Amino acid sequence: MLLIHCPYCDETLPELEFAYAGEAHIDRPEDPSAMTDEEWRDFLFIRNNKRGTHFERWRHINGCARFFNAVRDTVSDKFLTTYKAGTPRPSDAELEELGK
Amino acid sequence: MTHFSALSLLSNALTGHKNWREQWPDAQPKKAYDVIVIGAGGHGLGAAYYLAKEFGITNVAVIEKGWLGGGNTGRNTTIIRSNYLYDESARLFDHAVDLWEGLSQELNYNVMFSQRGVMMLAHNVHDVQSFKRHIHANRLNGVDNRWLTPEEAKAFCPPLNIESNARYPVMGAALQQRAGTARHDAVAWGYARAASALGVDIIQNCPVLAIRRGTDGAVEGVETTKGFIKAGKIAVSAAGNTSVVMETADVRLPLESYPLQALVSEPVKPVLPCVVMSNTVHAYISQSDKGELVIGSGTDQYTSYSQRGGLPLIEHTVAAICEVFPMFRRMRMLRKWGGIVDVTPDRSAILGKTPVKGLYVNCGWGTGGFKATPGAAHTLAHTVAHDEPHPINAPFTLERFQTGRLIDEAAAAAVAH
């Protein structure tokens, strides 16, 4: 069972309290009517599907119910860090430090 | 290739089984091939076989990062069915069932295809309505499927609990009699042996590091741990790792890779005569010829390449099985494992050409790729040989995510996702 740290509740809790919510840092289009079909495809469907360090969203569905971001290694399933929605993604140097 | 028959079995038995020969040689890569298939699972090996057999292209290599059939081909729960709602899917999966029926003869290898029937249980009014709709749609497409009352379902599968006081009582079932199971490893081995006999090289333990493209954008070959191998055409059939391989050719795909788990019990005497699936309590079960109960359900909720998955899902799966089959509560489970499945947004496969010249892809089969093995392999081979899709796989393009012409089995498939 994964143990996940909710940055709002500041508690590390079992996976069962959380719902996975897909890749993180995908910006909504600012001017949807100006988008081409290709841009819509990329926004809606294309995903990094990264083998390794993956930026993703989780929701503390059976707790505070808020969305937050996480960085997880998709090979080991180990969480490197979690952080509140709206905060910038950790830099490569910070992640390297966390991975040690 | 030694032809297998009752006579060859008898003569080898009389000589103490000392004279069996290897079924295919362990090939080393040549410098160049007409076609390279990446991924030696059932789909990839099958595509190589049909390229050689039906389309006369024998200068083919199948390259595998691990061992042959060691990915999802050897990790799935071996269920074969074609009761999909949409016309496109019904045609593709029924084409596969047609090929499954003759596969043991075709390959001279017993894939143990057993048409024991797949029964899908309805537990509420919504299930009843949607399954009846599936049955009618299937019958219009020439796919067999029929409705059973709870009593008929119980007669077809005696261990089933149809008591009305169950938490999710059985209100009926949809039965596809032509559906069933096959021996998954034998599918990979049978295709490997038959393809190898036609001149295909099967290269194991050789991870593809990158697909190399020329100045005109077309594929040139693959970089591997055994060096560069030139190829005129490349077909990628790498399941959960397809995104990783295709990214090296600058093709980004609408895929996410999830762990899908399965587990088996200790072997027992024959008790379960068919495959039973339940979407509402969410699990499926069959009994292997060895006697083990083979159990599975949906994917884990998060993407991963770990080939492992978490225990909460196993607990959920086993709870569902105990609900439907109370008599299995005391069964002991022996093993559980995970495979990485590549899931598309509309839960239908991508099988066809890519924007890169000479590069073809067969991916996105999600949780249901095994059943499609011969159909996917055959249509992929057709697509590679003619540089044009077969009419059966023509709707399963990569472009559909741009045009919006989706095949939305996510809502319509006969299983929950």
Side-chain angles (χ1 to χ4, degrees), chain A residues 20 48-49 51 72 74 77, chain B residues 241 243 252 257 303-305:
Chain A
Y20 181 70
N48 281 330
N49 200 22
R51 186 186 172 98
R72 184 174 53 95
T74 56
D77 287 339
Chain B
N241 284 295
S243 299
R252 296 183 71 220
S257 296
T303 61
S304 177
Y305 288 85

Side-chain angles (χ1 to χ4, degrees), chain A residues 2 27 32 81-82 99:
Chain A
L2 301 180
D27 296 331
T81 184
T82 59

Side-chain angles (χ1 to χ4, degrees), chain B residues 252-385:
Chain B
R252 296 183 71 220
L253 294 169
L255 293 177
E256 290 189 296
S257 296
Y258 291 89
L260 178 65
Q261 301 186 70
L263 65 161
V264 292
S265 73
E266 59 193 339
V268 289
K269 285 187 177 178
V271 60
L272 192 65
C274 61
V275 181
V276 179
M277 307 181 69
S278 168
N279 301 341
T280 300
V281 301
H282 204 192
Y284 44 85
I285 184 168
S286 63
Q287 188 172 21
S288 73
D289 292 312
K290 218 169 15 171
E292 303 151 321
L293 296 178
V294 184
I295 298 168
S297 69
T299 63
D300 276 84
Q301 62 169 334
Y302 49 85
T303 61
S304 177
Y305 288 85
S306 70
Q307 289 191 316
R308 205 165 44 232
L311 272 176
L313 197 99
I314 294 292
E315 188 184 2
H316 159 82
T317 308
V318 170
I321 293 300
C322 292
E323 164 74 20
V324 182
F325 297 101
M327 67 181 280
F328 293 155
R329 282 184 182 167
R330 287 179 293 158
M331 290 290 287
R332 283 170 295 192
M333 295 299 142
L334 278 191
R335 302 190 304 280
K336 75 123 184 142
W337 63 91
I340 302 304
V341 299
D342 44 328
V343 178
T344 57
D346 64 355
R347 302 303 193 267
S348 290
I350 301 167
L351 208 182
K353 298 168 75 168
T354 68
V356 177
K357 192 165 179 295
L359 184 62
Y360 307 85
V361 72
N362 168 43
C363 65
W365 289 96
T367 60
F370 178 71
K371 67 172 83 72
T373 302
H378 178 248
T379 52
L380 176 62
H382 184 284
T383 308
V384 172

Side-chain angles (χ1 to χ4, degrees), chain A residues 46-85:
Chain A
I46 304 289
R47 295 293 176 261
N48 281 330
N49 200 22
K50 189 86 180 155
R51 186 186 172 98
T53 308
H54 188 242
F55 293 82
E56 59 196 25
R57 298 200 309 155
W58 284 80
R59 189 178 182 204
H60 192 185
I61 185 92
N62 293 312
C64 65
R66 297 182 77 171
F67 284 91
F68 60 89
N69 294 328
V71 188
R72 184 174 53 95
D73 185 311
T74 56
V75 177
S76 66
D77 287 339
K78 189 182 170 208
F79 281 88
L80 294 177
T81 184
T82 59
Y83 51 101
K84 291 177 182 174

